[in-house]
Amino acid sequence: MKYDILGVMVDNATMDEAVRDISRYFGSKEAHMVVTPNAEILLMCENDRELLQAISKASFVSADGVGVLKAAKILKTPLKEKVAGCDLGFNLLKEAAKGGHGVFLFGAKPGVAEAAAEKLCEKIPGLIISGTRDGYFKPGDDDEIVRQINESGADILWVCLGAPKQEKWMAENKDKLQVSVMLGLGGSLDVYAGNVKRAPKIMIKCKAEWLYRLIKEPWRFSRMIKIPRVVKLAKAELKRRQNNA
Ligand code: UDP
C-alpha cells in the first residue's frame, strides 16, 4: 500500500515487510529502484520535477525520517514505522548474502566504499562484494560506470551520491543496468566505513537520532529546519483535500 505524501508515493511498510518485498526482486531481469526520502527530499520535489519523476520510477519508497512520518500522520495516512535507508540497505545485504547475490557499492569519497566493503564483510558472513567505485565522476562517465557495474556481475547496487544526484542517476541509468535492485542510500557508505557514527540505540528508539547527527555534524542544521516546513505543507495539503472532498 502506497500513500501520497506531498506528491511522493511512499510505501506503508515495516522494516521486515520492506526487506521481504524488496528481496523478492533479487535475481529479476529488470532493475528495480528503491529510494528512501526524508523531509528534505520531499521539499526538494516541490521545485525539482526531474527528482519527482525519478522517484516515481521507484518500485519501493521507504519513509526515511520523522519528518515524513509526521507529514503522513497529519494527512491522516499514518505510516507503520520509519524505515531508515541505512538500516534497510544493511538488512537487504544480509538477504543478498543468504541468496548468494553479489553487491556493488558505488559512491562516497575515494577509499570509502572499499573500507565499507571490508567492514560489511566482517558483519555479514557470506557477503559477496562484486565491486566498488567512488562517487566523484564527470557527467560523461555514466556509460563507463554502467559498464563497470554490469561487468562485475553484481545483482544488488548501492548508489550513495546524496540526494538528488543518486535518485536522478538511478532513473537515468536504470534501463542500462543489469542489476535487479538498486538503492539510493545517501551517506550510508560513510556510516559503514566508520567515518560517521550512528546515534546510540537509545536515541534512535526515542526518535532523537536527528539530535545526535546535529551535535556531530552542525552543518546539518540548515537541512533540519526543513521539518517544520514539511509539517506546514502537510497541514495545507490536508485542508485542500478536505475542501475537495
Ligand atoms: N557524494 C558522492 N558524489 C557526489 C556528492 C556526494 O559520492 O558528487 C557522496 C558523499 O561523499 C557522501 C554522500 O554522497 O558520502 C552524501 O552523504 P550525505 O550524508 O550528505 O547524505 P544523506 O545521508 O544526508 O542523504
Side-chain angles (χ1 to χ4, degrees), residues 2 8-11 22 32-38 41 51-52 54-64 83-85 88 159 163-164 166-168 170-171 181-185:
K2 288 185 196 279
V8 175
M9 299 306 289
V10 179
D11 281 86
I22 298 165
H32 293 271
M33 255 172 83
V34 177
V35 297
T36 64
N38 54 17
I41 298 179
L51 173 62
L52 189 61
I55 291 180
S56 73
K57 290 192 183 175
S59 301
F60 198 96
V61 179
S62 82
D64 182 352
V83 180
L88 178 62
V159 183
Q166 61 202 10
E167 289 76 13
K168 291 180 184 176
M170 287 193 291
V181 173
M182 53 181 155
L183 305 111
L185 295 177

PDB file of all heavy atoms in Angstrom, residues 2 8-11 22 32-38 41 51-52 54-64 83-85 88 159 163-164 166-168 170-171 181-185:
ATOM      1  N   LYS A   2       0.625   2.165  -0.960  1.00  0.00           N
ATOM      2  CA  LYS A   2       1.405   3.412  -1.015  1.00  0.00           C
ATOM      3  C   LYS A   2       0.515   4.594  -0.649  1.00  0.00           C
ATOM      4  O   LYS A   2      -0.667   4.606  -0.999  1.00  0.00           O
ATOM      5  CB  LYS A   2       1.952   3.631  -2.433  1.00  0.00           C
ATOM      6  CG  LYS A   2       3.079   2.667  -2.804  1.00  0.00           C
ATOM      7  CD  LYS A   2       3.646   3.039  -4.167  1.00  0.00           C
ATOM      8  CE  LYS A   2       4.489   1.937  -4.769  1.00  0.00           C
ATOM      9  NZ  LYS A   2       5.849   1.852  -4.288  1.00  0.00           N
ATOM     10  N   VAL A   8       4.720  12.516  -3.225  1.00  0.00           N
ATOM     11  CA  VAL A   8       5.610  11.361  -3.332  1.00  0.00           C
ATOM     12  C   VAL A   8       4.852  10.131  -2.812  1.00  0.00           C
ATOM     13  O   VAL A   8       4.302  10.170  -1.703  1.00  0.00           O
ATOM     14  CB  VAL A   8       6.908  11.577  -2.514  1.00  0.00           C
ATOM     15  CG1 VAL A   8       7.777  10.332  -2.527  1.00  0.00           C
ATOM     16  CG2 VAL A   8       7.690  12.774  -3.059  1.00  0.00           C
ATOM     17  N   MET A   9       4.810   9.066  -3.625  1.00  0.00           N
ATOM     18  CA  MET A   9       4.093   7.857  -3.205  1.00  0.00           C
ATOM     19  C   MET A   9       5.008   7.021  -2.312  1.00  0.00           C
ATOM     20  O   MET A   9       5.980   6.438  -2.783  1.00  0.00           O
ATOM     21  CB  MET A   9       3.657   7.042  -4.432  1.00  0.00           C
ATOM     22  CG  MET A   9       2.718   7.786  -5.372  1.00  0.00           C
ATOM     23  SD  MET A   9       1.241   8.470  -4.567  1.00  0.00           S
ATOM     24  CE  MET A   9       0.324   6.994  -4.211  1.00  0.00           C
ATOM     25  N   VAL A  10       4.680   6.989  -1.016  1.00  0.00           N
ATOM     26  CA  VAL A  10       5.543   6.320  -0.034  1.00  0.00           C
ATOM     27  C   VAL A  10       4.906   4.990   0.380  1.00  0.00           C
ATOM     28  O   VAL A  10       3.698   4.920   0.638  1.00  0.00           O
ATOM     29  CB  VAL A  10       5.736   7.212   1.215  1.00  0.00           C
ATOM     30  CG1 VAL A  10       6.623   6.524   2.263  1.00  0.00           C
ATOM     31  CG2 VAL A  10       6.335   8.566   0.830  1.00  0.00           C
ATOM     32  N   ASP A  11       5.710   3.924   0.442  1.00  0.00           N
ATOM     33  CA  ASP A  11       5.202   2.606   0.855  1.00  0.00           C
ATOM     34  C   ASP A  11       4.941   2.570   2.350  1.00  0.00           C
ATOM     35  O   ASP A  11       5.801   2.975   3.147  1.00  0.00           O
ATOM     36  CB  ASP A  11       6.205   1.516   0.490  1.00  0.00           C
ATOM     37  CG  ASP A  11       6.118   1.164  -0.987  1.00  0.00           C
ATOM     38  OD1 ASP A  11       6.778   1.849  -1.797  1.00  0.00           O
ATOM     39  OD2 ASP A  11       5.368   0.229  -1.325  1.00  0.00           O
ATOM     40  N   ILE A  22      11.233  -6.133  -1.025  1.00  0.00           N
ATOM     41  CA  ILE A  22      12.329  -5.767  -1.946  1.00  0.00           C
ATOM     42  C   ILE A  22      13.160  -6.996  -2.320  1.00  0.00           C
ATOM     43  O   ILE A  22      13.563  -7.149  -3.469  1.00  0.00           O
ATOM     44  CB  ILE A  22      13.212  -4.654  -1.336  1.00  0.00           C
ATOM     45  CG1 ILE A  22      12.376  -3.384  -1.106  1.00  0.00           C
ATOM     46  CG2 ILE A  22      14.395  -4.344  -2.247  1.00  0.00           C
ATOM     47  CD1 ILE A  22      13.021  -2.358  -0.191  1.00  0.00           C
ATOM     48  N   HIS A  32      15.161  -2.751 -10.344  1.00  0.00           N
ATOM     49  CA  HIS A  32      14.163  -2.085  -9.505  1.00  0.00           C
ATOM     50  C   HIS A  32      14.839  -1.027  -8.637  1.00  0.00           C
ATOM     51  O   HIS A  32      15.826  -1.311  -7.964  1.00  0.00           O
ATOM     52  CB  HIS A  32      13.445  -3.101  -8.611  1.00  0.00           C
ATOM     53  CG  HIS A  32      12.605  -4.052  -9.382  1.00  0.00           C
ATOM     54  ND1 HIS A  32      11.290  -3.817  -9.689  1.00  0.00           N
ATOM     55  CD2 HIS A  32      12.914  -5.232  -9.964  1.00  0.00           C
ATOM     56  CE1 HIS A  32      10.825  -4.808 -10.405  1.00  0.00           C
ATOM     57  NE2 HIS A  32      11.779  -5.690 -10.595  1.00  0.00           N
ATOM     58  N   MET A  33      14.260   0.170  -8.654  1.00  0.00           N
ATOM     59  CA  MET A  33      14.835   1.270  -7.868  1.00  0.00           C
ATOM     60  C   MET A  33      14.192   1.327  -6.492  1.00  0.00           C
ATOM     61  O   MET A  33      12.967   1.200  -6.377  1.00  0.00           O
ATOM     62  CB  MET A  33      14.466   2.585  -8.560  1.00  0.00           C
ATOM     63  CG  MET A  33      15.569   3.251  -9.305  1.00  0.00           C
ATOM     64  SD  MET A  33      14.877   4.641 -10.218  1.00  0.00           S
ATOM     65  CE  MET A  33      14.843   5.896  -8.954  1.00  0.00           C
ATOM     66  N   VAL A  34      15.011   1.559  -5.479  1.00  0.00           N
ATOM     67  CA  VAL A  34      14.497   1.792  -4.128  1.00  0.00           C
ATOM     68  C   VAL A  34      15.006   3.149  -3.690  1.00  0.00           C
ATOM     69  O   VAL A  34      16.214   3.426  -3.779  1.00  0.00           O
ATOM     70  CB  VAL A  34      14.996   0.701  -3.138  1.00  0.00           C
ATOM     71  CG1 VAL A  34      14.522   1.001  -1.724  1.00  0.00           C
ATOM     72  CG2 VAL A  34      14.525  -0.683  -3.581  1.00  0.00           C
ATOM     73  N   VAL A  35      14.104   4.020  -3.260  1.00  0.00           N
ATOM     74  CA  VAL A  35      14.524   5.336  -2.773  1.00  0.00           C
ATOM     75  C   VAL A  35      14.051   5.511  -1.337  1.00  0.00           C
ATOM     76  O   VAL A  35      13.062   4.906  -0.914  1.00  0.00           O
ATOM     77  CB  VAL A  35      14.022   6.493  -3.671  1.00  0.00           C
ATOM     78  CG1 VAL A  35      14.621   6.401  -5.058  1.00  0.00           C
ATOM     79  CG2 VAL A  35      12.515   6.515  -3.763  1.00  0.00           C
ATOM     80  N   THR A  36      14.774   6.338  -0.594  1.00  0.00           N
ATOM     81  CA  THR A  36      14.499   6.454   0.839  1.00  0.00           C
ATOM     82  C   THR A  36      14.400   7.934   1.220  1.00  0.00           C
ATOM     83  O   THR A  36      15.297   8.479   1.880  1.00  0.00           O
ATOM     84  CB  THR A  36      15.624   5.752   1.641  1.00  0.00           C
ATOM     85  OG1 THR A  36      16.854   6.442   1.419  1.00  0.00           O
ATOM     86  CG2 THR A  36      15.811   4.303   1.234  1.00  0.00           C
ATOM     87  N   PRO A  37      13.306   8.593   0.810  1.00  0.00           N
ATOM     88  CA  PRO A  37      13.231  10.041   1.050  1.00  0.00           C
ATOM     89  C   PRO A  37      13.030  10.442   2.518  1.00  0.00           C
ATOM     90  O   PRO A  37      12.327   9.761   3.261  1.00  0.00           O
ATOM     91  CB  PRO A  37      12.015  10.468   0.218  1.00  0.00           C
ATOM     92  CG  PRO A  37      11.203   9.249   0.022  1.00  0.00           C
ATOM     93  CD  PRO A  37      12.145   8.087   0.066  1.00  0.00           C
ATOM     94  N   ASN A  38      13.659  11.545   2.872  1.00  0.00           N
ATOM     95  CA  ASN A  38      13.418  12.194   4.163  1.00  0.00           C
ATOM     96  C   ASN A  38      12.701  13.514   3.885  1.00  0.00           C
ATOM     97  O   ASN A  38      12.364  13.818   2.732  1.00  0.00           O
ATOM     98  CB  ASN A  38      14.749  12.407   4.915  1.00  0.00           C
ATOM     99  CG  ASN A  38      15.757  13.149   4.057  1.00  0.00           C
ATOM    100  OD1 ASN A  38      15.408  13.776   3.065  1.00  0.00           O
ATOM    101  ND2 ASN A  38      17.009  13.090   4.443  1.00  0.00           N
ATOM    102  N   ILE A  41      14.152  15.706   1.128  1.00  0.00           N
ATOM    103  CA  ILE A  41      13.908  15.249  -0.252  1.00  0.00           C
ATOM    104  C   ILE A  41      12.467  15.578  -0.665  1.00  0.00           C
ATOM    105  O   ILE A  41      12.216  15.989  -1.799  1.00  0.00           O
ATOM    106  CB  ILE A  41      14.247  13.742  -0.399  1.00  0.00           C
ATOM    107  CG1 ILE A  41      15.740  13.522  -0.112  1.00  0.00           C
ATOM    108  CG2 ILE A  41      13.880  13.226  -1.786  1.00  0.00           C
ATOM    109  CD1 ILE A  41      16.232  12.093  -0.194  1.00  0.00           C
ATOM    110  N   LEU A  51      13.511  15.337 -10.146  1.00  0.00           N
ATOM    111  CA  LEU A  51      13.658  14.465  -8.974  1.00  0.00           C
ATOM    112  C   LEU A  51      12.353  13.716  -8.716  1.00  0.00           C
ATOM    113  O   LEU A  51      12.352  12.507  -8.474  1.00  0.00           O
ATOM    114  CB  LEU A  51      14.053  15.301  -7.738  1.00  0.00           C
ATOM    115  CG  LEU A  51      14.081  14.540  -6.414  1.00  0.00           C
ATOM    116  CD1 LEU A  51      15.119  13.412  -6.437  1.00  0.00           C
ATOM    117  CD2 LEU A  51      14.394  15.490  -5.237  1.00  0.00           C
ATOM    118  N   LEU A  52      11.236  14.443  -8.778  1.00  0.00           N
ATOM    119  CA  LEU A  52       9.932  13.818  -8.548  1.00  0.00           C
ATOM    120  C   LEU A  52       9.681  12.708  -9.569  1.00  0.00           C
ATOM    121  O   LEU A  52       9.219  11.619  -9.228  1.00  0.00           O
ATOM    122  CB  LEU A  52       8.830  14.886  -8.618  1.00  0.00           C
ATOM    123  CG  LEU A  52       7.441  14.446  -8.181  1.00  0.00           C
ATOM    124  CD1 LEU A  52       7.441  13.995  -6.725  1.00  0.00           C
ATOM    125  CD2 LEU A  52       6.436  15.591  -8.346  1.00  0.00           C
ATOM    126  N   ALA A  54      12.002  11.041 -11.190  1.00  0.00           N
ATOM    127  CA  ALA A  54      12.936   9.940 -10.894  1.00  0.00           C
ATOM    128  C   ALA A  54      12.350   9.071  -9.791  1.00  0.00           C
ATOM    129  O   ALA A  54      12.314   7.841  -9.899  1.00  0.00           O
ATOM    130  CB  ALA A  54      14.296  10.501 -10.482  1.00  0.00           C
ATOM    131  N   ILE A  55      11.839   9.698  -8.740  1.00  0.00           N
ATOM    132  CA  ILE A  55      11.287   8.941  -7.606  1.00  0.00           C
ATOM    133  C   ILE A  55      10.050   8.141  -8.044  1.00  0.00           C
ATOM    134  O   ILE A  55       9.823   7.032  -7.564  1.00  0.00           O
ATOM    135  CB  ILE A  55      10.976   9.892  -6.421  1.00  0.00           C
ATOM    136  CG1 ILE A  55      12.301  10.411  -5.830  1.00  0.00           C
ATOM    137  CG2 ILE A  55      10.147   9.184  -5.344  1.00  0.00           C
ATOM    138  CD1 ILE A  55      12.166  11.346  -4.655  1.00  0.00           C
ATOM    139  N   SER A  56       9.304   8.695  -9.002  1.00  0.00           N
ATOM    140  CA  SER A  56       8.089   7.991  -9.440  1.00  0.00           C
ATOM    141  C   SER A  56       8.429   6.690 -10.171  1.00  0.00           C
ATOM    142  O   SER A  56       7.582   5.836 -10.354  1.00  0.00           O
ATOM    143  CB  SER A  56       7.213   8.891 -10.301  1.00  0.00           C
ATOM    144  OG  SER A  56       7.814   9.047 -11.564  1.00  0.00           O
ATOM    145  N   LYS A  57       9.680   6.532 -10.581  1.00  0.00           N
ATOM    146  CA  LYS A  57      10.091   5.289 -11.257  1.00  0.00           C
ATOM    147  C   LYS A  57      10.465   4.194 -10.254  1.00  0.00           C
ATOM    148  O   LYS A  57      10.768   3.070 -10.636  1.00  0.00           O
ATOM    149  CB  LYS A  57      11.310   5.550 -12.147  1.00  0.00           C
ATOM    150  CG  LYS A  57      11.001   6.390 -13.371  1.00  0.00           C
ATOM    151  CD  LYS A  57      12.179   6.348 -14.318  1.00  0.00           C
ATOM    152  CE  LYS A  57      11.941   7.240 -15.517  1.00  0.00           C
ATOM    153  NZ  LYS A  57      13.108   7.305 -16.385  1.00  0.00           N
ATOM    154  N   ALA A  58      10.498   4.549  -8.961  1.00  0.00           N
ATOM    155  CA  ALA A  58      10.957   3.580  -7.955  1.00  0.00           C
ATOM    156  C   ALA A  58       9.913   2.496  -7.699  1.00  0.00           C
ATOM    157  O   ALA A  58       8.714   2.765  -7.685  1.00  0.00           O
ATOM    158  CB  ALA A  58      11.280   4.308  -6.650  1.00  0.00           C
ATOM    159  N   SER A  59      10.383   1.280  -7.475  1.00  0.00           N
ATOM    160  CA  SER A  59       9.481   0.175  -7.132  1.00  0.00           C
ATOM    161  C   SER A  59       9.127   0.245  -5.656  1.00  0.00           C
ATOM    162  O   SER A  59       8.074  -0.240  -5.248  1.00  0.00           O
ATOM    163  CB  SER A  59      10.160  -1.167  -7.402  1.00  0.00           C
ATOM    164  OG  SER A  59      10.515  -1.266  -8.746  1.00  0.00           O
ATOM    165  N   PHE A  60      10.037   0.796  -4.861  1.00  0.00           N
ATOM    166  CA  PHE A  60       9.780   0.877  -3.425  1.00  0.00           C
ATOM    167  C   PHE A  60      10.306   2.209  -2.885  1.00  0.00           C
ATOM    168  O   PHE A  60      11.419   2.617  -3.198  1.00  0.00           O
ATOM    169  CB  PHE A  60      10.446  -0.292  -2.686  1.00  0.00           C
ATOM    170  CG  PHE A  60       9.894  -0.513  -1.309  1.00  0.00           C
ATOM    171  CD1 PHE A  60       8.900  -1.458  -1.077  1.00  0.00           C
ATOM    172  CD2 PHE A  60      10.338   0.253  -0.226  1.00  0.00           C
ATOM    173  CE1 PHE A  60       8.358  -1.635   0.186  1.00  0.00           C
ATOM    174  CE2 PHE A  60       9.806   0.083   1.038  1.00  0.00           C
ATOM    175  CZ  PHE A  60       8.820  -0.871   1.248  1.00  0.00           C
ATOM    176  N   VAL A  61       9.459   2.876  -2.073  1.00  0.00           N
ATOM    177  CA  VAL A  61       9.825   4.179  -1.495  1.00  0.00           C
ATOM    178  C   VAL A  61       9.662   4.063   0.016  1.00  0.00           C
ATOM    179  O   VAL A  61       8.543   3.879   0.510  1.00  0.00           O
ATOM    180  CB  VAL A  61       8.908   5.293  -2.055  1.00  0.00           C
ATOM    181  CG1 VAL A  61       9.265   6.649  -1.452  1.00  0.00           C
ATOM    182  CG2 VAL A  61       8.992   5.360  -3.579  1.00  0.00           C
ATOM    183  N   SER A  62      10.766   4.134   0.740  1.00  0.00           N
ATOM    184  CA  SER A  62      10.648   3.983   2.197  1.00  0.00           C
ATOM    185  C   SER A  62      10.709   5.347   2.884  1.00  0.00           C
ATOM    186  O   SER A  62      11.312   6.292   2.367  1.00  0.00           O
ATOM    187  CB  SER A  62      11.739   3.061   2.741  1.00  0.00           C
ATOM    188  OG  SER A  62      12.935   3.765   2.918  1.00  0.00           O
ATOM    189  N   ALA A  63      10.064   5.438   4.030  1.00  0.00           N
ATOM    190  CA  ALA A  63       9.999   6.699   4.774  1.00  0.00           C
ATOM    191  C   ALA A  63      11.214   6.811   5.683  1.00  0.00           C
ATOM    192  O   ALA A  63      11.263   6.214   6.750  1.00  0.00           O
ATOM    193  CB  ALA A  63       8.723   6.741   5.608  1.00  0.00           C
ATOM    194  N   ASP A  64      12.208   7.590   5.233  1.00  0.00           N
ATOM    195  CA  ASP A  64      13.459   7.676   5.991  1.00  0.00           C
ATOM    196  C   ASP A  64      13.464   8.962   6.826  1.00  0.00           C
ATOM    197  O   ASP A  64      14.112   9.933   6.462  1.00  0.00           O
ATOM    198  CB  ASP A  64      14.646   7.661   5.024  1.00  0.00           C
ATOM    199  CG  ASP A  64      15.980   7.707   5.750  1.00  0.00           C
ATOM    200  OD1 ASP A  64      15.990   7.901   6.975  1.00  0.00           O
ATOM    201  OD2 ASP A  64      17.014   7.561   5.089  1.00  0.00           O
ATOM    202  N   VAL A  83      11.521   3.625   8.120  1.00  0.00           N
ATOM    203  CA  VAL A  83      12.374   2.576   7.542  1.00  0.00           C
ATOM    204  C   VAL A  83      13.624   3.291   7.024  1.00  0.00           C
ATOM    205  O   VAL A  83      13.668   3.735   5.874  1.00  0.00           O
ATOM    206  CB  VAL A  83      11.629   1.822   6.414  1.00  0.00           C
ATOM    207  CG1 VAL A  83      12.507   0.743   5.803  1.00  0.00           C
ATOM    208  CG2 VAL A  83      10.330   1.193   6.952  1.00  0.00           C
ATOM    209  N   ALA A  84      14.596   3.459   7.906  1.00  0.00           N
ATOM    210  CA  ALA A  84      15.796   4.231   7.557  1.00  0.00           C
ATOM    211  C   ALA A  84      16.575   3.528   6.451  1.00  0.00           C
ATOM    212  O   ALA A  84      16.819   2.312   6.520  1.00  0.00           O
ATOM    213  CB  ALA A  84      16.661   4.410   8.788  1.00  0.00           C
ATOM    214  N   GLY A  85      16.970   4.302   5.441  1.00  0.00           N
ATOM    215  CA  GLY A  85      17.684   3.739   4.304  1.00  0.00           C
ATOM    216  C   GLY A  85      18.922   2.959   4.725  1.00  0.00           C
ATOM    217  O   GLY A  85      19.180   1.867   4.215  1.00  0.00           O
ATOM    218  N   LEU A  88      17.836  -0.330   6.147  1.00  0.00           N
ATOM    219  CA  LEU A  88      17.210  -1.122   5.088  1.00  0.00           C
ATOM    220  C   LEU A  88      18.294  -1.710   4.176  1.00  0.00           C
ATOM    221  O   LEU A  88      18.268  -2.903   3.848  1.00  0.00           O
ATOM    222  CB  LEU A  88      16.249  -0.231   4.283  1.00  0.00           C
ATOM    223  CG  LEU A  88      15.542  -0.879   3.099  1.00  0.00           C
ATOM    224  CD1 LEU A  88      14.642  -2.023   3.557  1.00  0.00           C
ATOM    225  CD2 LEU A  88      14.711   0.153   2.328  1.00  0.00           C
ATOM    226  N   VAL A 159      23.737   2.970  -4.378  1.00  0.00           N
ATOM    227  CA  VAL A 159      24.128   4.224  -5.038  1.00  0.00           C
ATOM    228  C   VAL A 159      24.120   5.312  -3.964  1.00  0.00           C
ATOM    229  O   VAL A 159      23.058   5.732  -3.497  1.00  0.00           O
ATOM    230  CB  VAL A 159      23.153   4.575  -6.193  1.00  0.00           C
ATOM    231  CG1 VAL A 159      23.616   5.825  -6.918  1.00  0.00           C
ATOM    232  CG2 VAL A 159      23.026   3.406  -7.172  1.00  0.00           C
ATOM    233  N   ALA A 163      21.273  13.057  -2.169  1.00  0.00           N
ATOM    234  CA  ALA A 163      20.094  13.455  -2.946  1.00  0.00           C
ATOM    235  C   ALA A 163      20.288  14.879  -3.470  1.00  0.00           C
ATOM    236  O   ALA A 163      20.899  15.703  -2.797  1.00  0.00           O
ATOM    237  CB  ALA A 163      18.846  13.401  -2.057  1.00  0.00           C
ATOM    238  N   PRO A 164      19.812  15.222  -4.651  1.00  0.00           N
ATOM    239  CA  PRO A 164      19.007  14.399  -5.568  1.00  0.00           C
ATOM    240  C   PRO A 164      19.834  13.655  -6.615  1.00  0.00           C
ATOM    241  O   PRO A 164      19.266  13.038  -7.504  1.00  0.00           O
ATOM    242  CB  PRO A 164      18.132  15.454  -6.259  1.00  0.00           C
ATOM    243  CG  PRO A 164      19.036  16.656  -6.373  1.00  0.00           C
ATOM    244  CD  PRO A 164      19.925  16.624  -5.147  1.00  0.00           C
ATOM    245  N   GLN A 166      21.695  10.926  -6.548  1.00  0.00           N
ATOM    246  CA  GLN A 166      21.576   9.467  -6.642  1.00  0.00           C
ATOM    247  C   GLN A 166      20.247   9.029  -7.273  1.00  0.00           C
ATOM    248  O   GLN A 166      20.211   8.089  -8.070  1.00  0.00           O
ATOM    249  CB  GLN A 166      21.768   8.817  -5.273  1.00  0.00           C
ATOM    250  CG  GLN A 166      20.739   9.246  -4.261  1.00  0.00           C
ATOM    251  CD  GLN A 166      21.146   9.067  -2.814  1.00  0.00           C
ATOM    252  OE1 GLN A 166      22.300   8.785  -2.518  1.00  0.00           O
ATOM    253  NE2 GLN A 166      20.206   9.217  -1.903  1.00  0.00           N
ATOM    254  N   GLU A 167      19.153   9.722  -6.940  1.00  0.00           N
ATOM    255  CA  GLU A 167      17.842   9.360  -7.495  1.00  0.00           C
ATOM    256  C   GLU A 167      17.835   9.595  -9.003  1.00  0.00           C
ATOM    257  O   GLU A 167      17.354   8.761  -9.773  1.00  0.00           O
ATOM    258  CB  GLU A 167      16.720  10.173  -6.828  1.00  0.00           C
ATOM    259  CG  GLU A 167      16.414   9.805  -5.382  1.00  0.00           C
ATOM    260  CD  GLU A 167      17.438  10.331  -4.383  1.00  0.00           C
ATOM    261  OE1 GLU A 167      18.264  11.195  -4.769  1.00  0.00           O
ATOM    262  OE2 GLU A 167      17.430   9.883  -3.217  1.00  0.00           O
ATOM    263  N   LYS A 168      18.404  10.754  -9.418  1.00  0.00           N
ATOM    264  CA  LYS A 168      18.436  11.080 -10.853  1.00  0.00           C
ATOM    265  C   LYS A 168      19.353  10.112 -11.596  1.00  0.00           C
ATOM    266  O   LYS A 168      19.044   9.664 -12.689  1.00  0.00           O
ATOM    267  CB  LYS A 168      18.894  12.526 -11.048  1.00  0.00           C
ATOM    268  CG  LYS A 168      17.860  13.529 -10.552  1.00  0.00           C
ATOM    269  CD  LYS A 168      18.327  14.957 -10.754  1.00  0.00           C
ATOM    270  CE  LYS A 168      17.318  15.939 -10.171  1.00  0.00           C
ATOM    271  NZ  LYS A 168      17.772  17.327 -10.248  1.00  0.00           N
ATOM    272  N   MET A 170      20.086   7.025 -10.819  1.00  0.00           N
ATOM    273  CA  MET A 170      19.450   5.699 -10.928  1.00  0.00           C
ATOM    274  C   MET A 170      18.386   5.696 -12.026  1.00  0.00           C
ATOM    275  O   MET A 170      18.329   4.773 -12.839  1.00  0.00           O
ATOM    276  CB  MET A 170      18.828   5.287  -9.581  1.00  0.00           C
ATOM    277  CG  MET A 170      19.862   4.905  -8.540  1.00  0.00           C
ATOM    278  SD  MET A 170      19.149   4.071  -7.105  1.00  0.00           S
ATOM    279  CE  MET A 170      18.216   5.379  -6.337  1.00  0.00           C
ATOM    280  N   ALA A 171      17.525   6.736 -12.025  1.00  0.00           N
ATOM    281  CA  ALA A 171      16.442   6.794 -13.013  1.00  0.00           C
ATOM    282  C   ALA A 171      17.016   6.871 -14.428  1.00  0.00           C
ATOM    283  O   ALA A 171      16.539   6.212 -15.353  1.00  0.00           O
ATOM    284  CB  ALA A 171      15.536   7.988 -12.728  1.00  0.00           C
ATOM    285  N   VAL A 181      18.237  -4.956  -8.115  1.00  0.00           N
ATOM    286  CA  VAL A 181      17.798  -3.954  -7.136  1.00  0.00           C
ATOM    287  C   VAL A 181      18.896  -2.917  -6.954  1.00  0.00           C
ATOM    288  O   VAL A 181      20.064  -3.266  -6.757  1.00  0.00           O
ATOM    289  CB  VAL A 181      17.487  -4.602  -5.759  1.00  0.00           C
ATOM    290  CG1 VAL A 181      17.209  -3.536  -4.712  1.00  0.00           C
ATOM    291  CG2 VAL A 181      16.281  -5.539  -5.855  1.00  0.00           C
ATOM    292  N   MET A 182      18.524  -1.631  -7.042  1.00  0.00           N
ATOM    293  CA  MET A 182      19.496  -0.573  -6.722  1.00  0.00           C
ATOM    294  C   MET A 182      18.859   0.371  -5.716  1.00  0.00           C
ATOM    295  O   MET A 182      17.673   0.682  -5.804  1.00  0.00           O
ATOM    296  CB  MET A 182      19.946   0.176  -7.959  1.00  0.00           C
ATOM    297  CG  MET A 182      18.838   0.717  -8.798  1.00  0.00           C
ATOM    298  SD  MET A 182      19.562   1.541 -10.212  1.00  0.00           S
ATOM    299  CE  MET A 182      18.238   1.420 -11.362  1.00  0.00           C
ATOM    300  N   LEU A 183      19.668   0.756  -4.739  1.00  0.00           N
ATOM    301  CA  LEU A 183      19.138   1.569  -3.647  1.00  0.00           C
ATOM    302  C   LEU A 183      19.897   2.881  -3.535  1.00  0.00           C
ATOM    303  O   LEU A 183      21.136   2.888  -3.544  1.00  0.00           O
ATOM    304  CB  LEU A 183      19.297   0.838  -2.304  1.00  0.00           C
ATOM    305  CG  LEU A 183      18.710  -0.562  -2.210  1.00  0.00           C
ATOM    306  CD1 LEU A 183      19.831  -1.580  -2.119  1.00  0.00           C
ATOM    307  CD2 LEU A 183      17.828  -0.678  -0.983  1.00  0.00           C
ATOM    308  N   GLY A 184      19.183   3.999  -3.406  1.00  0.00           N
ATOM    309  CA  GLY A 184      19.809   5.300  -3.174  1.00  0.00           C
ATOM    310  C   GLY A 184      19.946   5.498  -1.669  1.00  0.00           C
ATOM    311  O   GLY A 184      18.958   5.638  -0.971  1.00  0.00           O
ATOM    312  N   LEU A 185      21.201   5.478  -1.172  1.00  0.00           N
ATOM    313  CA  LEU A 185      21.384   5.405   0.278  1.00  0.00           C
ATOM    314  C   LEU A 185      22.237   6.519   0.882  1.00  0.00           C
ATOM    315  O   LEU A 185      22.810   6.332   1.969  1.00  0.00           O
ATOM    316  CB  LEU A 185      21.971   4.034   0.657  1.00  0.00           C
ATOM    317  CG  LEU A 185      21.059   2.833   0.376  1.00  0.00           C
ATOM    318  CD1 LEU A 185      21.776   1.534   0.723  1.00  0.00           C
ATOM    319  CD2 LEU A 185      19.755   2.922   1.155  1.00  0.00           C
TER     320      LEU A 185
END
